[in-house]
Amino acid sequence: MKNIGSMLSTIVALMVIWVCLTLNFSISELGLGIVFSVLIAVSTRGGFTSNLFRLLKPARLAALLVYIFFFLSQMVKANIDVLFRVLRPVVPVRPGIVGADIGLRNLRGRIIIANSITLTPGTLTVDLIDDRIYVHWISLPDGDATAETQKLVDGFAKRLEKVLD
Amino acid sequence: MIRSIFGLILVLVLGAIMVAVVPDIEYSEEIHGVGLHYTSQGMQETGSANLVTAVIVAYRGLDTLGEVVVLFCASTSVVLILSLYPLSLKVSRPSFIVAQTSRLLPAPILLLGLYLIAHSHLSPGGGFPGGAVIASAFLLVMLGGTGVPGSSRNLAAVESLAGLSFGLLGFWGVMKLGQFLNNLVLGTGTPGSLVSAGLIPLISLVIGIKVASELSSVFAAFRYKGGH
Amino acid sequence: MSDALFPVVAITMGIMMLAAGIVALYVRRLLSAIIIVAFVSLSASVLFLLMDATDVAVTEAAVGAVVSTMIFLWGRGKIGGDR
Amino acid sequence: MLELYHWSIAGTALGLVLIGLWGVLTRRNIIRIALAFTLADTGVNLLLVWTGHIPDRTSPIHDSTTAALNATEAMVDPLPQALVLTSIVIGVAVAALFVVVAVLASRRTGSADIRRLRELRW
Amino acid sequence: MSALGIIGHVLLGAGGFILFVSGLGILRMPDVYNRMHAGTKATTLGSILFMLGIGCLEPVWLPKLILIIILVILTNPIAAHALARAVHSGPKDEKPDNLERDDLQEERAEGEDLDE
Amino acid sequence: MISYFDWILFGLLGMGTFMTFVRLLKGRTPADRAVALDGMTLITTCLIVLIAFFEGRSMLLDVALVYAVLSFLGVLALARFLDGGLR
């Protein structure tokens, strides 16, 4: 059983979701939750999460917190950006799709980076083919757009690498 | 042209009839008829906090059995027709992100569907919406690939088992209390806790499995073919 | 508590549903019509919620958003032609 | 305002039924007729739930917030809701059957136009 | 009004305003991709703030609201990505024509050359 | 009981829904309409949460949860069928 870790962490994650849904700590509710979690984890072969127990190291947790904080600040910036664009009389746009290399091995990590880029200022992930990520800009950055995109992707990848690898 | 005029006349006539009739449905401040009994006595008689589920499963359980049979006929017809005339649908290859999502998200969606089914007597939900949610998780798995998942071969067996157990639960009532689908064979318990309301959670589970497998087999009959 | 707010929401939703229903019949592309009918189903779910029919709202959201949309998309793909 | 609220929902439901009927009668594309049928279905369900609705009451589910209330004076009628709940699921199954039969029929004539189906002329 | 109530009202107001801005963005932005920008970023943060605001006013509901928040963060970018990809691989006359550069198009064109 | 703040809140959400609705009706291409539907469903989820808050019943949050999940799945299905193959 290679993926027993991911299966166990799927069970734990589903149990947390179950408790959040029911908000009830009686024996019967918890027992039913465990039964359902095990059933789902077995039938989806632990597909929900990868091994979460690897995260339980102080350094990784700290890196995760740093990543989340960075992501949230970027998201707030993104909204201020959208706000100022929308409220202008003429919406200023100079759109373009730029490719960049993504230097992260972990598949789930790539998904996380793609989703994070969608929620950061002025960028939207259009496609993810092999190692290349294609990003749509509301208005292309001044100067070298390719280098700017690469910098953006690397900024996320560097922070996420500390969490995952 | 003549079609439009005829249609317009028909729509206007029906509209006039409805506008004349609907205001006669009383704008009442009270519940009338049998609904009054269900509202006032429902929780004591069936033990179910959710009165809608009490009506569906306990008071009108036989009707629900009929409805499930109608649903079974419709979905079986779809599957039968599509197995006689296979019409495969070409879809493009999913992107990497969607393919990964279809492996990540089915687990919580399944849990949500099972929650709706298991808490049918406590909170909104029940067999029908829970089954639809579980079928949507199956659809998500299909959307993330270009073929039909292998588990769809067992759908017919699961569905028949669920239908059979609906009938068996009904006959349990006949054996014990002399009445088909009697809810009280397990006692009502305390309303508001998970283990209460007699047969209602079990029958909801059966209905949920049946609806889920029927809708899933409809989705699986809309088979895909890989391609670009 | 809800004496003045919910009526406004219900009336707005109702007008939007009726307008969307008419547009769904006359919009040129079939795919757009399917999307607009999905919108009508989801709004109907909110109206059910306002009428205190919680179970019905859940069912309508589950069925109207995914199952029927999927069925119509399949039919459109098989019949071909988008007019 | 409450009266207006009450009748506006009925008006929406009636309007949806009539729009659906109009669409079924006048549209030509067979999938679009199925869409109009779904609209009418939604309208009928709204109308049925509306008959059991009483403004300023709460949904017929007991929990800790409704323990102190008298159920018959605080809740809406559960019966129409129970009927509509099954009706929605049956409706979608019937729509699936409709679409599948329509697709097969239209493949025989080679077009989605309902006027090409001679058996369905009126 | 307690401090938590004031925080909750502020969060609710901010969330509602951002949701309003997202609607405005979907209406006003000039092409599909830019509408997606408004419809993804603004609705995500707006609904997060909104749920947190309700959570401050009713602390018991917080777990379920956090569940909705996590769900929104997970699903919303994925839907936007799927739509953007669909637009990009869709028919030519429906794509916005104001792109200044399009690396993905070039990549696709090269791939097709290799196939032939 | 109802304060001006609640009116403003409902007004903001209602205006947001209405503007996405206008885009839904106007949208030049199906993709525009799908984007509008995506935005609309999230704003409506917040509206459902607000209704739950006014009614004071936590069980309506289940409806919001199901609504959010299933509208996402609907948009995903639309996107997959807009994408190639089925033009």
Side-chain angles (χ1 to χ4, degrees):
Chain A
M1 274 311 254
K2 199 181 65 182
N3 57 356
I4 192 130
S6 76
M7 212 176 253
L8 272 179
S9 43
T10 301
I11 292 174
V12 171
L14 289 179
M15 264 319 280
V16 171
I17 294 178
W18 178 264
V19 170
C20 283
L21 276 173
T22 57
L23 293 184
N24 189 330
F25 294 94
S26 65
I27 300 289
S28 53
E29 294 270 10
L30 290 180
L32 194 66
I34 288 173
V35 169
F36 282 164
S37 305
V38 171
L39 261 178
I40 293 171
V42 169
S43 63
T44 59
R45 293 182 198 82
F48 181 34
T49 54
S50 49
N51 196 343
L52 282 181
F53 298 115
R54 285 172 53 227
L55 282 182
L56 292 179
K57 283 183 189 165
R60 281 189 177 142
L61 278 180
L64 184 66
L65 280 181
V66 167
Y67 184 81
I68 288 175
F69 186 73
F70 177 68
F71 168 66
L72 286 180
S73 65
Q74 290 289 317
M75 207 157 83
V76 173
K77 255 190 237 166
N79 278 279
I80 295 169
D81 179 64
V82 166
L83 178 68
F84 281 119
R85 273 177 210 282
V86 166
L87 293 182
R88 297 254 188 91
V90 176
V91 182
V93 290
R94 197 164 75 88
I97 297 178
V98 184
D101 283 321
I102 186 165
L104 199 69
R105 284 283 176 78
N106 194 320
L107 296 184
R108 292 270 155 82
R110 286 183 184 179
I111 303 281
I112 293 173
I113 287 185
N115 286 356
S116 306
I117 284 176
T118 300
L119 293 176
T120 48
T123 51
L124 179 84
T125 306
V126 177
D127 210 343
L128 186 63
I129 303 175
D130 299 333
D131 279 348
R132 299 277 287 168
I133 184 167
Y134 294 90
V135 173
H136 176 270
W137 289 84
I138 289 187
S139 62
L140 289 170
D142 302 327
D144 190 0
T146 315
E148 288 289 324
T149 314
Q150 191 65 48
K151 217 172 85 187
L152 175 84
V153 175
D154 284 346
F156 278 109
K158 200 178 69 212
R159 287 180 174 82
L160 197 60
E161 220 161 35
K162 284 181 197 152
V163 184
L164 292 175
D165 293 319
Chain B
M1 188 62 205
I2 191 108
R3 218 179 137 87
S4 295
I5 293 171
F6 187 73
L8 190 63
I9 292 171
L10 212 57
V11 169
L12 284 181
V13 168
L14 187 72
I17 293 174
M18 284 172 121
V19 169
V21 167
V22 167
D24 286 342
I25 301 173
E26 263 176 84
Y27 173 69
S28 64
E29 298 282 334
E30 294 294 321
I31 302 175
H32 291 294
V34 72
L36 195 61
H37 176 77
Y38 293 159
T39 318
S40 60
Q41 303 294 322
M43 194 162 80
Q44 286 79 27
E45 283 183 5
T46 64
S48 164
N50 185 342
L51 296 178
V52 179
T53 305
V55 174
I56 289 179
V57 178
Y59 288 116
R60 308 247 161 159
L62 202 59
D63 297 358
T64 306
L65 185 57
E67 312 252 10
V68 168
V69 170
V70 173
L71 190 62
F72 170 74
C73 289
S75 76
T76 309
S77 315
V78 170
V79 175
L80 195 66
I81 291 172
L82 287 181
S83 64
L84 288 180
Y85 304 92
L87 301 170
S88 56
L89 192 60
K90 260 189 197 165
V91 291
S92 59
R93 203 174 292 279
S95 76
F96 174 72
I97 297 181
V98 174
Q100 284 289 320
T101 308
S102 73
R103 292 167 59 187
L104 177 82
L105 278 181
I109 295 178
L110 277 174
L111 190 71
L112 183 62
L114 286 175
Y115 165 76
L116 286 180
I117 292 175
H119 284 235
S120 63
H121 54 302
L122 303 176
S123 64
F128 290 101
V133 171
I134 292 178
S136 323
F138 184 82
L139 176 68
L140 179 60
V141 175
M142 280 176 76
L143 287 177
T146 51
V148 177
S151 57
S152 64
R153 267 166 302 179
N154 306 325
L155 282 176
V158 172
E159 201 221 328
S160 328
L161 272 180
L164 190 65
S165 32
F166 201 143
L168 288 181
L169 286 174
F171 282 120
W172 190 9
V174 177
M175 276 166 59
K176 204 165 172 194
L177 295 172
Q179 191 188 6
F180 190 70
L181 270 180
N182 194 315
N183 181 40
L184 299 176
V185 289
L186 284 175
T188 57
T190 24
S193 63
L194 183 66
V195 184
S196 67
L199 272 186
I200 287 178
L202 291 178
I203 293 180
S204 295
L205 186 65
V206 168
I207 293 174
I209 293 172
K210 203 161 161 54
V211 171
S213 54
E214 275 160 0
L215 291 180
S216 303
S217 57
V218 168
F219 286 145
F222 295 168
R223 69 190 72 183
Y224 297 119
K225 208 188 240 172
H228 199 65
Chain C
M1 163 164 17
S2 59
D3 49 352
L5 264 177
F6 289 3
V8 176
V9 178
I11 292 167
T12 322
M13 277 282 171
I15 291 170
M16 274 160 53
M17 280 167 73
L18 289 181
I22 293 171
V23 171
L25 295 183
Y26 286 97
V27 71
R28 214 169 75 250
R29 294 192 59 174
L30 195 51
L31 195 55
S32 308
I34 293 171
I35 297 172
I36 294 173
V37 170
F39 166 80
V40 174
S41 284
L42 287 169
S43 310
S45 163
V46 177
L47 270 191
F48 283 130
L49 195 73
L50 285 176
M51 288 196 283
D52 298 317
T54 324
D55 300 70
V56 186
V58 176
T59 313
E60 177 75 33
V63 164
V66 180
V67 183
S68 62
T69 308
M70 191 60 210
I71 287 166
F72 290 128
L73 283 173
W74 181 84
R76 168 190 167 275
K78 281 328 288 177
I79 279 188
D82 198 24
R83 290 289 176 260
Chain D
M1 199 68 186
L2 268 184
E3 296 260 322
L4 183 63
Y5 176 36
H6 196 67
W7 295 116
S8 72
I9 293 177
T12 307
L14 286 186
L16 276 180
V17 173
L18 294 181
I19 288 171
L21 181 67
W22 170 251
V24 168
L25 287 175
T26 60
R27 296 290 89 195
R28 292 176 193 161
N29 189 323
I30 202 158
I31 298 290
R32 210 170 283 231
I33 289 175
L35 287 175
F37 174 77
T38 307
L39 284 181
D41 198 19
T42 308
V44 171
N45 289 337
L46 273 174
L47 196 63
L48 277 175
V49 171
W50 172 81
T51 59
H53 173 234
I54 301 166
D56 268 344
R57 292 197 178 189
T58 183
S59 45
I61 302 171
H62 289 278
D63 67 355
S64 53
T65 55
T66 61
L69 302 172
N70 181 0
T72 52
E73 287 170 7
M75 290 182 175
V76 297
D77 196 351
L79 189 60
Q81 300 185 13
L83 299 181
V84 169
L85 192 59
T86 48
S87 146
I88 289 174
V89 181
I90 303 288
V92 82
V94 171
L97 193 56
F98 186 116
V99 169
V100 169
V101 173
V103 166
L104 284 178
S106 73
R107 284 176 88 81
R108 256 187 65 196
T109 60
S111 95
D113 196 336
I114 197 162
R115 291 175 304 174
R116 302 282 289 276
L117 290 172
R118 297 202 157 270
E119 294 86 349
L120 289 180
R121 278 191 91 103
W122 57 281
Chain E
M1 193 183 288
S2 64
L4 208 58
I6 292 171
I7 296 174
H9 277 88
V10 169
L11 285 178
L12 272 179
F17 182 67
I18 293 176
L19 286 173
F20 168 78
V21 166
S22 80
L24 193 64
I26 287 174
L27 182 62
R28 274 204 70 209
M29 287 288 200
D31 65 80
V32 184
Y33 292 121
N34 289 322
R35 278 170 207 147
M36 252 170 243
H37 279 279
T40 310
K41 301 189 223 306
T43 49
T44 309
L45 186 67
S47 53
I48 289 171
L49 291 183
F50 203 88
M51 306 290 170
L52 286 180
I54 297 277
C56 286
L57 297 180
E58 293 267 357
V60 187
W61 296 6
L62 208 51
K64 228 176 243 189
L65 292 169
I66 287 176
L67 218 54
I68 299 179
I69 289 173
I70 292 173
L71 195 96
V72 167
I73 293 181
L74 268 182
T75 59
N76 213 3
I78 293 171
H81 151 76
L83 279 173
R85 189 175 183 271
V87 172
H88 194 275
S89 65
K92 204 155 213 159
D93 55 331
E94 292 183 359
K95 277 193 279 191
D97 50 0
N98 56 358
L99 289 180
E100 290 213 353
R101 59 182 281 189
D102 194 345
D103 288 2
L104 185 55
Q105 191 65 45
E106 289 163 15
E107 163 85 20
R108 288 244 166 96
E110 279 173 22
E112 277 165 18
D113 287 346
L114 287 181
D115 283 346
E116 286 165 1
Chain F
M1 190 74 189
I2 272 191
S3 63
Y4 288 113
F5 185 75
D6 302 330
W7 275 103
I8 292 170
L9 222 49
F10 265 95
L12 284 174
L13 292 192
M15 296 269 283
T17 314
F18 187 75
M19 284 185 296
T20 52
F21 168 72
V22 172
R23 177 48 69 197
L24 187 87
L25 294 195
K26 231 171 85 176
R28 202 171 63 78
T29 63
D32 280 317
R33 297 174 208 266
V35 172
L37 188 71
D38 191 19
M40 195 283 291
T41 50
L42 213 54
I43 300 177
T44 317
T45 307
C46 291
L47 192 65
I48 291 175
V49 173
L50 196 59
I51 290 172
F53 176 66
F54 277 123
E55 297 238 341
R57 309 200 66 180
S58 62
M59 60 181 50
L60 300 192
L61 291 184
D62 288 354
V63 183
L65 198 57
V66 174
Y67 196 90
V69 171
L70 291 173
S71 61
F72 160 70
L73 282 181
V75 172
L76 194 65
L78 271 175
R80 283 286 278 121
F81 278 79
L82 275 167
D83 188 0
L86 272 177
R87 221 150 293 157

